[in-house]
Amino acid sequence: QVELVESGGGVVQSGGSLRLSCAASRRTLSLYAMGWFRQAPGKEREFVSSIRWSGGSTYYSDSVKGRFTISRDIRKIAVYLQMNSLEPEDTAVYYCAIHRVGADNYDVWGQGTQVTVSS
């Protein structure tokens, strides 16, 4: 059983920055990708960003492209999300997830961390 532990959420003013971290509890994982998703009140969960574990290719939603940067630490089995120029529309619970090799999609999720951006 693998768990994901997230940290780094909080309250920030519009235009500010936050850095989210997510680490897996097990080091022996066959990963295809790690990603970040978010869910705002009253809205469905949406994709934010992902990174391929092999090669490090990165992907972003249009709403965060140019403002957020995803990175990984292979040794720590960790992924990070640097969020700059935050806007009130970025307010949401952010979830880390992993897509293991052989799985159809992201199959392990973190507990979520709250990000609140005040105007």
Side-chain angles (χ1 to χ4, degrees), residues 68-109:
F68 291 10
T69 302
I70 191 170
S71 61
R72 75 193 193 296
D73 186 323
I74 294 176
R75 288 191 308 154
K76 295 181 179 179
I77 312 294
V79 65
Y80 309 96
L81 188 67
Q82 177 66 42
M83 306 185 294
N84 298 328
S85 303
L86 283 162
E87 304 166 351
E89 293 74 23
D90 296 316
T91 295
V93 177
Y94 284 70
Y95 297 92
C96 170
I98 61 174
H99 182 175
R100 290 182 287 186
V101 172
D104 291 334
N105 211 324
Y106 289 89
D107 61 330
V108 181
W109 294 81

Side-chain angles (χ1 to χ4, degrees), residues 33-83:
M34 290 187 77
W36 289 96
F37 296 75
R38 67 187 182 186
Q39 186 167 19
K43 295 186 177 181
E44 293 187 354
R45 185 170 59 194
E46 64 174 359
F47 168 80
V48 175
S49 180
S50 66
I51 185 165
R52 294 278 177 88
W53 210 246
S54 176
S57 297
T58 57
Y59 305 88
Y60 299 93
S61 67
D62 288 342
S63 62
V64 307
K65 199 173 296 182
R67 300 187 297 122
F68 291 10
T69 302
I70 191 170
S71 61
R72 75 193 193 296
D73 186 323
I74 294 176
R75 288 191 308 154
K76 295 181 179 179
I77 312 294
V79 65
Y80 309 96
L81 188 67
Q82 177 66 42
M83 306 185 294

